[in-house]
Amino acid sequence: MPSYHPARSRRATERKGDVRERAILDTCEALLAHKGYDAMTVGGIAQGAGITRGALYFYFGSKQEAVTALVARTVEHLWERSRTTAQTDEPRQAIAAAMQRTVELWNEHGLVMRTAIDLSLTVPEIGELWNHTADLFIAAITAVLERAGVQAGTAPDQASSMARALCWMIERTFYHASQKSRDELQKASATCEHIWLISAGLIN
């Protein structure tokens, strides 16, 4: 099997267009923090990325398209970091690890994630991305619950339905906590972890 050198590979394969697209998305994330979605403009994104307005349109046709791509990049990070949750054998460890990764991601990208939630009902592409991500997490939570002994199935007291409720509870709890402080996020995580452990029958 040939050896793999990450740094060399990136230098060899990352094209100028990739660098520009990343700069555009990084600028979108920064502008969300400083201006908010409604005040963002295509001109502002282009200026922040160091390109002309015309050059930006080569990559994205509107600020909505650019923000949709930013959401896509963020949820990819979200899923990559949390992929192992469904593969961890011990349910308590899986739950603790999942909640810690969730805190980290909301600390790093909370603004993008709140924007995704806010726009998910009015921008179909973002809604589809966010719902797909939720489905992946629901499947992971379901697997943890089943390993903890919760019966498989879709009845109200069975793993699939409980996982769906836990997923949306965690999303909404973190949405509100992330607007306050990192301490509030940590408290929210502890509460959600406690409820998940009770749901799994791991504590009384």
Side-chain angles (χ1 to χ4, degrees):
M1 183 180 294
S3 60
Y4 175 59
H5 303 281
R8 184 185 307 165
S9 174
R10 281 196 297 270
R11 285 196 297 270
T13 60
E14 189 168 45
R15 300 168 300 175
K16 186 175 182 179
D18 296 328
V19 175
R20 281 188 171 179
E21 183 170 331
R22 189 172 67 246
I24 292 167
L25 299 185
D26 289 345
T27 299
C28 282
E29 188 159 8
L31 288 174
L32 281 175
H34 291 101
K35 291 180 175 292
Y37 178 77
D38 290 338
M40 285 173 59
T41 64
V42 169
I45 297 169
Q47 182 179 10
I51 59 176
T52 66
R53 187 187 182 103
L56 186 142
Y57 283 124
F58 178 80
Y59 298 94
F60 303 107
S62 64
K63 77 170 184 182
Q64 180 176 301
E65 284 187 15
V67 171
T68 299
L70 174 61
V71 171
R73 184 177 73 171
T74 302
V75 297
E76 184 177 348
H77 292 328
L78 187 70
W79 179 238
E80 282 300 320
R81 286 223 200 149
S82 304
R83 187 184 300 278
T84 57
T85 298
Q87 301 167 352
T88 303
D89 291 331
E90 206 285 306
R92 283 178 179 269
Q93 293 177 0
I95 292 168
M99 295 313 305
Q100 184 55 43
R101 281 189 289 267
T102 304
V103 169
E104 292 168 358
L105 284 159
W106 276 88
N107 276 327
E108 293 171 16
H109 303 290
L111 192 56
V112 177
M113 293 159 75
R114 289 200 305 272
T115 300
I117 293 167
D118 291 341
L119 296 178
S120 61
L121 294 178
T122 56
V123 180
E125 295 83 0
I126 291 178
E128 185 177 344
L129 276 168
W130 198 250
N131 287 329
H132 176 62
T133 301
D135 287 341
L136 293 173
F137 277 98
I138 289 165
I141 294 170
T142 299
V144 173
L145 290 173
E146 289 177 359
R147 284 205 307 278
V150 178
Q151 185 178 355
T154 58
D157 60 346
Q158 293 176 339
S160 180
S161 295
M162 292 171 66
R164 184 169 296 277
L166 282 167
C167 177
W168 293 116
M169 175 201 71
I170 291 168
E171 183 225 74
R172 187 52 46 179
T173 302
F174 273 73
Y175 177 98
H176 288 291
S178 71
Q179 298 178 72
K180 297 179 181 178
S181 68
R182 287 174 177 254
D183 285 344
E184 286 300 315
L185 269 177
Q186 203 63 54
K187 291 176 185 176
S189 175
T191 299
C192 290
E193 181 175 341
H194 184 74
I195 292 170
W196 191 351
L197 287 167
I198 290 173
S199 301
L202 296 172
I203 59 174
N204 295 322

